[in-house]
Amino acid sequence: MALDEIRARISAAETAAGRAPGSVTLIAVSKLQPEARVLAALEAGQRIFGENYVQEAQGKWPAWRGRFGGVGLHMIGPLQSNKARAAVALFDAIHTLDRMTLARKLAAAIEAEGRAPALFVQVNTGDEPQKAGILPDELAGFMVQLRDMGLAPQGLMCIPPEAEPARPHFRLLRDLAQAEGLSQLSMGMSDDFEEAIAEGATHIRVGSAIFGARQAAR
Ligand SMILES: *Cc1c(COP(=O)(O)O)cnc(C)c1O
């Protein structure tokens, strides 16, 4: 299946970059995919999945988690503040911490739920006005604010501008993470995950290359 091919490509990219085998975590992005395809990936041993919509994830993952051990769920879509508590209850990682209001809601939810998902700060590496994420120039100040409120993100995440080569954005994200002492990098999707691995990605988010085209977003 396509999953095997993606795994082989990840291994090859790790080797080409002189990185340890298994140093890249594959997040299989299952949003808006038919259930049969996701089940096939679970049966093939895939355990880390990415979702974009809290409600959709709440609808399907509790049952699958009951059937398959060791599932890890990563929230990779924009997160509304009023869904912060549900997201903290369901997800093992949240990749889209992109504003102070959300940080406050997440901090309160972590306290209330007694569980703390890994956090990634989303960075708007292309300075795109319509895109979510902290601007590169504002990251250092944002990190200080997060740490003051007791949040300790593990890494950074980016979605490069569609019309530009991705690699310089991956490199920028890596440099920003290094400056902040963060070890995790969530970057690279179906079309560019090998370049992301070459620049140090620790988490790649791959959907259509594994599962095929998605249903249209609601
Ligand atoms: C949907 C999505 C992906 C997966 O995209 P593909 O091109 O299908 O691999 C990765 N990251 C984010 C943030 C997404 O929303």
Side-chain angles (χ1 to χ4, degrees), residues 133-191:
I134 303 294
L135 296 175
D137 284 350
E138 293 170 359
L139 180 65
F142 187 68
M143 290 297 303
V144 169
Q145 284 185 287
L146 293 181
R147 286 167 175 150
D148 281 350
M149 63 194 293
L151 292 178
Q154 299 185 356
L156 303 180
M157 175 272 212
C158 76
I159 307 171
E162 268 174 43
E164 290 178 32
R167 192 150 178 171
H169 294 273
F170 297 152
R171 200 170 302 142
L172 172 59
L173 197 71
R174 182 191 64 194
D175 291 346
L176 290 168
Q178 195 168 13
E180 290 299 327
L182 299 169
S183 61
Q184 311 288 301
L185 287 168
S186 168
M187 57 190 196
M189 305 175 25
S190 288
D191 290 336

Side-chain angles (χ1 to χ4, degrees), residues 40 72 83 128 163 195:
K83 301 262 171 68
E128 294 176 280
E195 287 173 291

Side-chain angles (χ1 to χ4, degrees), residues 29 31 52 76-77 157 159 189-191 205-209 214:
V29 178
K31 64 168 180 239
N52 284 55
I76 63 167
M157 175 272 212
I159 307 171
M189 305 175 25
S190 288
D191 290 336
R205 312 177 307 266
V206 181
S208 45
R214 285 181 280 278

